[in-house]
Amino acid sequence: MGLNEAPRESAVRVDIGELVLDGFGRSVDPERVSAAFQAELARLVRERGVPIAADGGRAWDGLAGLPPLPATTSARRLGQELARAVHAGLAGRGEVKR
């Protein structure tokens, strides 16, 4: 690396194949939940990283034991809280299924 080159940050890739939201009414727009989820999870990973992946690439089949989601009809808030719950699992506060 030269003196004028910025150091390369390690890349983090979170690939979520499907989000299943059971128990929410039809008034919750899944597209808005997904957009809010993606934006908030990207922010959390950028600002806080993914502690359980700090020592190299890993893959998991799922996360369980995550914090409960709030009872809300706001797609934006639901997406943000869902992202926080998933990030909590990626930070080691939940059960990882390999």
Side-chain angles (χ1 to χ4, degrees):
M1 175 168 65
L3 293 175
N4 294 328
E5 290 181 35
R8 269 185 73 139
E9 293 185 31
S10 59
V12 174
R13 179 185 168 131
V14 178
D15 184 17
I16 298 174
E18 180 179 31
L19 290 175
V20 178
L21 301 174
D22 289 329
F24 294 92
R26 296 179 190 263
S27 64
V28 175
D29 181 355
E31 296 298 321
R32 291 186 65 209
V33 172
S34 179
F37 172 80
Q38 290 177 38
E40 181 67 2
L41 187 58
R43 183 189 72 78
L44 291 168
V45 169
R46 185 175 55 252
E47 291 178 6
R48 301 179 189 168
V50 181
I52 61 175
D55 60 351
R58 295 187 184 215
W60 297 281
D61 291 331
L63 296 171
L66 301 178
L69 295 174
T72 182
T73 58
S74 166
R76 182 172 177 256
R77 179 159 182 242
L78 182 57
Q80 289 171 333
E81 292 300 325
L82 180 58
R84 291 174 188 144
V86 168
H87 188 266
L90 295 173
R93 295 184 304 270
E95 177 185 331
V96 174
K97 295 181 180 184
R98 298 181 197 277

